[in-house]
Amino acid sequence: MLHWAQDFVRISHVPTITGLTEEEFLVKINTAGERADVRKVLREQSDAKPKVASPGPLVSELKWPDWEPQFTNYLSTIVGMNRIPLSYVIRENDAPNRTGPYANFTEEYIECAPLSGVGYEADRSAVHQSLISFTSGQLSEDWIKSINHFKDGRRGMIALRAHLSGEGNATRGIAEAGRLKETLHYKSERSLKFEKFLTQCQKMYNIDAQHGDAMGEE
């Protein structure tokens, strides 16, 4: 029953049995126990996974579109104080996102976990340390240096997004996609490996999707 109650806290809800029959309540208790087993396995795996998922240093603004989702994925492999992946700390929404749909219960935790409390404070400090390790000695370090004393990974990520995902960077991204569109032509396997051609096409479309349909459909 403890796991059932804790699951409510993880999604910013107060435990309640209102509207539940005895059978439905027992099913939820059982489900909560199964989720606890999954979290235990994820916790055990979190020691090894981050090394594989590391996004590497944020060496330049041009790396940001690829680096940001890689960093989010990296944090998703690390389990925080309340058994929630640390990626919840840097989610874009402040309030819980209850609209769904969620891929699984872990994604619901990430979207709805409270951004307050002792556990969150410890988690945002851990995210801060990760940001420091991946920006130290890079130009990107300058954009969070003035707020490092807060030891707040969420605040640091907001600062990076404000600078690197802003209008100026979007303009540079669209320009890069435009350059790819103008220069990318597949002639033969000898002149350009087909796999590389497809990869460059996907990069162009990813930039287009990230910044809206600003490029049009020429």
Side-chain angles (χ1 to χ4, degrees), residues 86-212:
L86 287 182
S87 52
Y88 86 94
V89 172
I90 63 167
R91 71 179 189 223
E92 297 203 25
N93 51 298
D94 289 325
N97 174 17
R98 305 197 187 283
T99 58
Y102 313 109
N104 50 52
F105 70 88
T106 303
E107 291 300 314
E108 184 178 9
Y109 291 165
I110 293 170
E111 289 295 321
C112 299
L115 301 179
S116 61
V118 175
Y120 168 70
E121 290 174 357
D123 288 345
R124 73 183 185 187
S125 179
V127 173
H128 166 75
Q129 292 301 323
S130 292
L131 277 179
I132 292 298
S133 67
F134 291 126
T135 60
S136 181
Q138 309 298 331
L139 292 176
S140 53
E141 180 182 22
D142 293 337
W143 297 102
I144 60 174
K145 187 174 293 186
S146 65
I147 57 175
N148 279 346
H149 61 284
F150 290 107
K151 309 295 183 185
D152 184 345
R154 181 169 181 78
R155 188 187 290 251
M157 197 63 175
I158 289 173
L160 286 176
R161 282 174 175 151
H163 174 66
L164 299 173
S165 296
E167 183 177 345
N169 201 54
T171 300
R172 288 189 290 275
I174 293 169
E176 169 69 4
R179 184 189 65 78
L180 286 172
K181 179 184 287 187
E182 292 176 359
T183 60
L184 195 58
H185 303 286
Y186 183 74
K187 296 179 181 179
S188 67
E189 186 72 11
R190 179 178 296 177
S191 62
L192 177 64
K193 292 292 185 181
F194 188 62
E195 183 179 358
K196 184 175 181 180
F197 171 76
L198 291 179
T199 300
Q200 293 291 77
C201 285
Q202 188 61 55
K203 179 180 179 180
M204 179 178 67
Y205 294 139
N206 287 345
I207 294 173
D208 192 15
Q210 181 180 11
H211 300 298

